[in-house]
Amino acid sequence: MTLGDKSSIRILHVVGGMNRGGIETWLMHILRHIDRDRFQMDFLVHTNQPCAYDQEIRTLGSQIIPCPLNRLQPWNYAANFRRILQVYGPYDIIHSHVHHFSGYILRLAQSSGIPIRIAHSHNNTSWVEAKAKWHRRLYLDLMKAWIARYATLGFGCSRQAIADLFDFTGNTHLHRQILYYGIDLTSFQAPVDAVAVRSELGIPKDAFVIGHVGRFDPQKNHVFLLDIAAEVAKREPKMRLLLVGVGSLRSDIEKKIAQLGLSDRVIFAGSRPDVPRLMRGAMDVFVLPSLYEGLGLVLVEAQAAGLSCIFSDVIPEEADVVKPLVKRISLSESASTWAEAVLTAPNNASTLTRIDALNIVEKSAFNIEIGVKKLVKAYES
């Protein structure tokens, strides 16, 4: 459906909350780089709590619209959702980023007359959903059926992400396409004082630093990451593990760290706006043993920073942008095997400079400029 030559196209993004995470950071890159006179982007969020990006979103002329979600009372959500559309609308496009729940969102949007309805798959949860109980299966099948019926376009951040959300019996009419996350590479070009960065974090300048960026959530597999770090520490006394992120499992992770005797080796950096600076100034190698990922945007960022990357082989292959820097390992391999790869990875990639790595990412589909152009084309078609 074509929107024509209106002076402004109004888009409502639906997301859990605009905290620092892969989806949210990508949306911020889009908001900063898109023509905001041509495209008005607002954000409907499923929380009343303030989030990290809220203030910048408002500064850039967009709105944060709370619509709290209680999955046990979907009728209340529906009434609130329709009220929001009446108060803040009309919108030309609704772009939903809440995975399976997008089925319900787009059904409400269709009944409210929004002409373009986009379901965006940012994850591959098939590994988890395969173990779901019967009532969860019913919910998933219903949501996928509604996506197939009510979406006018499907985006996925990888082939696996597309298959996870849109492969449904009878889903033949929906046009699906890969839209790779674009990252703003400006932060990867600025000079970085590595000694100063490490000093800020309390890391010795001669330490061997394993980096990880991700929320403290079962998906990210921190328990195994700590086992790997413990094995590295046996062979490299100067090992440090830098954890960037926040989440509900932090206390459990702290207990495991104490049990492993790593309390003086692990640095919690929290939620940070300067991840590229930490990657370039503090980390020697990046490790991501996730149980599953839609893409793993942070891996692309790590490669743009010129870091050797060791990660689980379940992560989509599209994340392999700078081939000499990446090594995939099965999660069935031991922590000792992973540790050996971590210790040898920087030497194996030594022939590639950081400038070389950045240039490769800049020319790839993960450059934000390319991503914005593709998204704009979809919005205007």
Side-chain angles (χ1 to χ4, degrees):
M1 182 176 294
T2 302
L3 294 175
D5 296 323
K6 293 172 56 178
S7 60
S8 178
I9 296 173
R10 302 197 68 217
I11 305 141
L12 183 63
H13 290 277
V14 180
V15 66
M18 289 303 292
N19 277 312
R20 292 188 182 96
I23 300 168
E24 299 81 6
T25 298
W26 171 72
L27 283 170
M28 291 307 299
H29 288 327
I30 294 295
L31 180 61
R32 293 167 188 143
H33 287 81
I34 204 166
D35 182 349
R36 293 191 295 276
D37 292 328
R38 175 71 172 142
F39 299 94
Q40 171 64 41
M41 291 170 49
D42 291 334
F43 297 84
L44 183 147
V45 296
H46 291 157
T47 179
N48 281 316
Q49 299 301 313
C51 297
Y53 288 127
D54 288 0
Q55 187 54 50
E56 183 182 356
I57 287 170
R58 295 187 180 101
T59 300
L60 293 174
S62 295
Q63 300 178 94
I64 294 287
I65 309 170
C67 186
L69 174 60
N70 182 344
R71 294 181 187 273
L72 299 179
Q73 298 178 324
W75 52 89
N76 288 346
Y77 180 88
N80 200 14
F81 184 88
R82 292 191 177 100
R83 179 192 62 80
I84 285 170
L85 294 184
Q86 291 174 354
V87 173
Y88 294 92
Y91 288 99
D92 303 295
I93 301 170
I94 190 160
H95 192 156
S96 181
H97 306 272
V98 289
H99 213 53
H100 293 103
F101 194 65
S102 292
Y104 189 53
I105 298 292
L106 300 186
R107 184 174 185 264
L108 295 175
Q110 191 271 345
S111 67
S112 299
I114 298 180
I116 296 181
R117 301 175 297 275
I118 301 172
H120 201 143
S121 180
H122 297 275
N123 217 336
N124 174 23
T125 60
S126 57
W127 182 83
V128 175
E129 305 301 354
K131 304 176 182 179
K133 296 182 179 179
W134 67 269
H135 50 85
R136 176 68 179 175
R137 292 299 323 166
L138 286 176
Y139 165 79
L140 295 174
D141 288 346
L142 178 61
M143 291 300 104
K144 286 187 176 184
W146 281 355
I147 288 171
R149 180 173 180 180
Y150 297 112
T152 60
L153 176 62
F155 280 138
C157 62
S158 67
R159 291 185 295 272
Q160 288 185 23
I162 284 180
D164 184 44
L165 200 59
F166 303 119
D167 281 4
F168 184 79
T169 303
N171 188 2
T172 57
H173 78 283
L174 180 62
H175 176 64
R176 294 155 281 186
Q177 61 178 287
I178 293 177
L179 180 65
Y180 291 129
Y181 292 136
I183 58 177
D184 187 340
L185 297 173
T186 305
S187 297
F188 294 90
Q189 298 165 345
V192 173
D193 184 340
V195 174
V197 173
R198 290 192 170 200
S199 177
E200 290 170 19
L201 297 167
I203 298 174
K205 62 181 180 180
D206 61 344
F208 177 75
V209 181
I210 301 170
H212 181 275
V213 179
R215 66 190 182 281
F216 299 138
D217 179 270
Q219 174 187 348
K220 302 301 181 180
N221 204 10
H222 283 85
V223 170
F224 187 53
L225 175 63
L226 292 175
D227 289 336
I228 297 167
E231 288 295 325
V232 172
K234 293 177 183 177
R235 312 178 202 186
E236 174 48 77
K238 296 179 180 179
M239 188 280 299
R240 295 293 187 276
L241 175 62
L242 176 59
L243 300 177
V244 183
V246 295
S248 59
L249 293 183
R250 171 159 175 169
S251 61
D252 294 337
I253 293 168
E254 289 175 334
K255 291 177 184 176
K256 169 98 175 180
I257 290 169
Q259 291 169 359
L260 292 171
L262 295 176
S263 297
D264 60 343
R265 304 285 195 92
V266 181
I267 299 94
F268 288 90
S271 176
R272 299 280 298 230
D274 58 344
V275 169
R277 178 172 172 267
L278 298 188
M279 285 180 167
R280 297 170 64 221
M283 300 179 188
D284 292 300
V285 61
F286 191 84
V287 181
L288 192 73
S290 299
L291 299 176
Y292 58 92
E293 292 282 352
L295 174 77
L297 177 63
V298 70
L299 277 174
V300 181
E301 293 177 323
Q303 291 167 70
L307 288 173
S308 297
C309 300
I310 312 297
F311 54 98
S312 52
D313 61 2
V314 299
I315 294 175
E317 292 183 359
E318 289 99 322
D320 301 7
V321 182
V322 187
K323 302 289 186 181
L325 292 180
V326 301
K327 183 175 179 61
R328 295 169 167 273
I329 304 180
S330 171
L331 289 171
S332 64
E333 295 287 352
S334 67
S336 178
T337 298
W338 278 71
E340 184 62 29
V342 169
L343 287 164
T344 58
N347 293 331
N348 293 340
S350 61
T351 58
L352 189 77
T353 70
R354 288 194 166 187
I355 294 176
D356 293 334
L358 183 59
N359 287 338
I360 292 172
V361 177
E362 189 173 20
K363 295 174 183 176
S364 76
F366 294 96
N367 187 322
I368 188 61
E369 303 297 340
I370 296 173
V372 168
K373 288 178 182 177
K374 188 169 184 179
L375 184 60
V376 164
K377 185 177 180 180
Y379 282 163
E380 292 181 328
S381 63

